Amino acid sequence: MLEVTSVSAGYGALTVLNDISLKVGDGEAVALVGANGAGKTTLVRTICGLLRARSGRIVKNGTDVTSTPPHDLSQHGLAVVLENRRLFGELSVRENLVLAETVGRKVRRGNMRFAWDEVTALFPVVKERLDSPVELLSGGQQQMVAIARALLLQPDLLIMDEPSTGLAPKVVKDILLVIKALRERGMGLLLIEQNVGIAAEITDRAYVMAVGSIVHEVGPGEWQSFLKDERLIRAYLG
Ligand code: ATP
């Protein structure tokens, strides 16, 4: 369970997040949607310790992780795929993955949730390119490496910031299939997504953000009525 309670954060004099509270239960898939500049990425950066929360608490499985640096989050079962992926471009795909696998082994101490072979089998394209430098891969392939790397950290909750942005429709489809397979295995998901159609396809419910606040919640079973509500869509998603 991830619990974000009354979190505020920003950059210098600018306050971007105002009193944000949300929860993602074990094995639950929750979306965070909102227009450009709503503060979604700022919230992800705050949850994963790249930005300091000015107030509020972030708790994972009962442990306060509010001030936990990004490299320690895997100890709490959290892995994040950021929008810019943050891979080591000059290193090979294998080297990028081995680094994560080494950390994941320490986290799970032999009781691995995702074995190397399973993870690479999820992404046949990645498996074919294990010895290529990451920087030579296409954007879609790099996204797959980023997801594979996150899985090797052995998380029970994956946070993904706009995994479909800028990718070809075929690649998006492949990535969505992988996310659905992970869901079937009980993986928790916090999906940051501008495309509400995609969010509705793979999550149970959603928080809608506008100007740094949660302004609406889409409950379980409410996705279809939300998508048909032109007034809400126009007001919050532009
Ligand atoms: P997008 O979908 O475009 O990524 P978003 O909902 O993720 O939008 P953020 O990127 O979190 O929104 O941006 C929220 C606000 O914070 C915007 O007004 C943006 O200009 C501002 N902002 C983001 N990053 C910084 C930064 N490094 N320094 C100062 N302001 C920033």
Side-chain angles (χ1 to χ4, degrees), residues 10-12 14-17 33-45 51 83 161-162 192 194 209 212:
Y11 307 93
L14 178 71
T15 298
V16 175
L17 303 180
V33 298
N36 271 334
K40 305 180 298 296
T41 295
T42 302
L43 180 56
V44 172
R45 288 171 56 84
L51 192 65
E83 213 174 350
D161 193 358
E162 311 261 4
I192 288 69
Q194 271 203 45
M209 259 185 104

Side-chain angles (χ1 to χ4, degrees), residues 73-99:
L73 281 178
S74 52
Q75 288 173 21
H76 302 282
L78 257 180
V80 185
V81 180
L82 292 165
E83 213 174 350
N84 56 11
R85 301 181 194 120
R86 292 194 172 219
L87 294 163
F88 298 105
E90 288 171 19
L91 299 188
S92 69
V93 170
R94 189 190 305 278
E95 286 164 331
N96 272 270
L97 297 184
V98 164
L99 288 171

Side-chain angles (χ1 to χ4, degrees), residues 44-200:
V44 172
R45 288 171 56 84
T46 310
I47 293 174
C48 72
L50 285 166
L51 192 65
R52 194 178 54 81
R54 291 178 180 168
S55 59
R57 264 166 39 105
I58 300 160
V59 174
K60 176 73 180 21
N61 297 347
T63 304
D64 191 326
V65 295
T66 317
S67 312
T68 302
H71 54 268
D72 283 342
L73 281 178
S74 52
Q75 288 173 21
H76 302 282
L78 257 180
V80 185
V81 180
L82 292 165
E83 213 174 350
N84 56 11
R85 301 181 194 120
R86 292 194 172 219
L87 294 163
F88 298 105
E90 288 171 19
L91 299 188
S92 69
V93 170
R94 189 190 305 278
E95 286 164 331
N96 272 270
L97 297 184
V98 164
L99 288 171
E101 195 200 25
T102 308
V103 174
R105 277 190 189 284
K106 284 188 196 139
V107 170
R108 299 290 296 175
R109 292 197 184 87
N111 181 17
M112 305 291 269
R113 214 183 278 275
F114 296 99
W116 174 280
D117 287 347
E118 261 177 296
V119 171
T120 51
L122 280 173
F123 302 101
V125 184
V126 167
K127 207 172 170 183
E128 282 164 22
R129 303 291 304 268
L130 281 175
D131 295 310
S132 305
V134 161
E135 61 197 5
L136 297 187
L137 270 56
S138 69
Q141 291 168 341
Q142 291 190 17
Q143 184 68 294
M144 291 176 189
V145 176
I147 299 170
R149 179 180 64 173
L151 295 178
L152 288 168
L153 294 172
Q154 311 298 329
D156 53 44
L157 176 64
L158 193 56
I159 302 181
M160 303 181 89
D161 193 358
E162 311 261 4
S164 66
T165 300
L167 302 182
K170 162 79 175 82
V171 179
V172 173
K173 212 171 144 196
D174 289 346
I175 288 176
L176 295 187
L177 283 176
V178 169
I179 296 176
K180 284 178 185 167
L182 294 175
R183 287 219 52 200
E184 280 165 19
R185 288 190 49 166
M187 171 75 86
L189 177 69
L190 178 60
L191 176 74
I192 288 69
E193 187 55 73
Q194 271 203 45
N195 182 327
V196 276
I198 287 179

